[in-house]
Amino acid sequence: AQKITQTQPGMFVQEKEAVTLDCTYDTSDPSYGLFWYKQPSSGEMIFLIYQGSYDQQNATEGRYSLNFQKARKSANLVISASQLGDSAMYFCAMREGWQAGTALIFGKGTTLSVSS
Amino acid sequence: DTEVTQTPKHLVMGMTNKKSLKCEQHMGHRAMYWYKQKAKKPPELMFVYSYEKLSINESVPSRFSPECPNSSLLNLHLHALQPEDSALYLCASSQESQGGADTQYFGPGTRLTVL
């Protein structure tokens, strides 16, 4: 079974609109972290936002917020006021356990296209 | 500063060549990672170094040989590669913290083409 599922291969949004990118996860470990990365066509993976399994509040970083619903095992990324520069591939990732140096498990990604 | 640098940005090599990819970070991170990424796919973990020691090798073929000369540097030595090894090679580093985020920060990658 996939540990990270991103069901939207592609999403289209107009500038200044908000968009939600879906991510569901599967783990039996009570300690885990969830991450979102942005990858423009240039290739660099840019860290956007992090949510820990014990965090009580949803994470926010500027225009990015993470809608964390623990019981549903979902960690959707919300981008408010989309910009043309937001066009990129977005990956949801999970780190299981609190052991240091643990690998990230990535979803298949969602391509976001922002139009003017 | 969350910068990880990688050189070269692009590399074209023949199947008989020997080349190396280089990764550097100056954030004091103690864990460093190599990932391989094919087009339109998520990154796949290859190796993890923790405190300059190899801690994870994801059954990578021996034609890829990692090296961590010190805590800031990570190399990937390439020899006798196959065309299917053509990909984007990403380096990342993290603080190696036991709890919480231990966020991995990535470099810009090296686009490798094997002819």
Side-chain angles (χ1 to χ4, degrees), chain B residues 40-78:
Chain B
K40 308 285 187 191
K41 299 287 187 186
E44 298 173 356
L45 182 70
M46 300 175 73
F47 303 103
V48 181
Y49 272 83
S50 175
Y51 288 87
E52 300 166 44
K53 287 187 168 41
L54 183 65
S55 60
I56 298 177
N57 176 343
E58 291 287 347
S59 303
V60 179
S62 60
R63 57 186 184 267
F64 295 92
S65 174
E67 178 197 19
C68 189
N70 59 57
S71 59
S72 301
L73 273 177
L74 185 65
N75 297 322
L76 186 63
H77 302 298
L78 314 172

Side-chain angles (χ1 to χ4, degrees), chain A residues 35 37 39 41 95 98 100 103 107, chain B residues 37 42 45 98 100-101 104 111:
Chain A
F35 303 80
Y37 286 87
Q39 188 174 39
S41 55
R95 174 176 168 252
W98 280 166
Chain B
Q37 187 181 25
L45 182 70
Q98 286 284 13
Q104 291 183 25
R111 288 195 188 274

Side-chain angles (χ1 to χ4, degrees), chain B:
Chain B
D1 185 10
T2 57
E3 189 175 276
V4 177
T5 59
Q6 287 187 245
T7 54
K9 287 190 176 178
H10 300 273
L11 179 62
V12 179
M13 61 187 289
M15 288 191 283
T16 58
N17 292 157
K18 281 186 183 181
K19 295 285 184 184
S20 296
L21 310 185
K22 181 180 170 182
C23 173
E24 196 165 2
Q25 58 88 12
H26 294 288
M27 297 176 278
H29 288 176
R30 306 311 301 225
M32 296 186 76
Y33 310 76
W34 279 117
Y35 288 85
K36 173 183 176 181
Q37 187 181 25
K38 293 285 217 177
K40 308 285 187 191
K41 299 287 187 186
E44 298 173 356
L45 182 70
M46 300 175 73
F47 303 103
V48 181
Y49 272 83
S50 175
Y51 288 87
E52 300 166 44
K53 287 187 168 41
L54 183 65
S55 60
I56 298 177
N57 176 343
E58 291 287 347
S59 303
V60 179
S62 60
R63 57 186 184 267
F64 295 92
S65 174
E67 178 197 19
C68 189
N70 59 57
S71 59
S72 301
L73 273 177
L74 185 65
N75 297 322
L76 186 63
H77 302 298
L78 314 172
H79 173 55
L81 293 194
Q82 304 296 310
E84 59 264 29
D85 297 322
S86 298
L88 179 68
Y89 288 83
L90 291 163
C91 173
S93 70
S94 70
Q95 204 160 17
E96 178 90 0
S97 50
Q98 286 284 13
D102 198 32
T103 301
Q104 291 183 25
Y105 295 95
F106 286 78
T110 294
R111 288 195 188 274
L112 173 67
T113 304
V114 182
L115 301 175

Side-chain angles (χ1 to χ4, degrees), chain A residues 51 55-60 65-69:
Chain A
Q51 182 86 42
D55 294 343
Q56 295 295 312
Q57 298 204 328
N58 287 344
T60 59
S65 60
L66 203 152
N67 184 0
F68 181 47
Q69 297 190 37

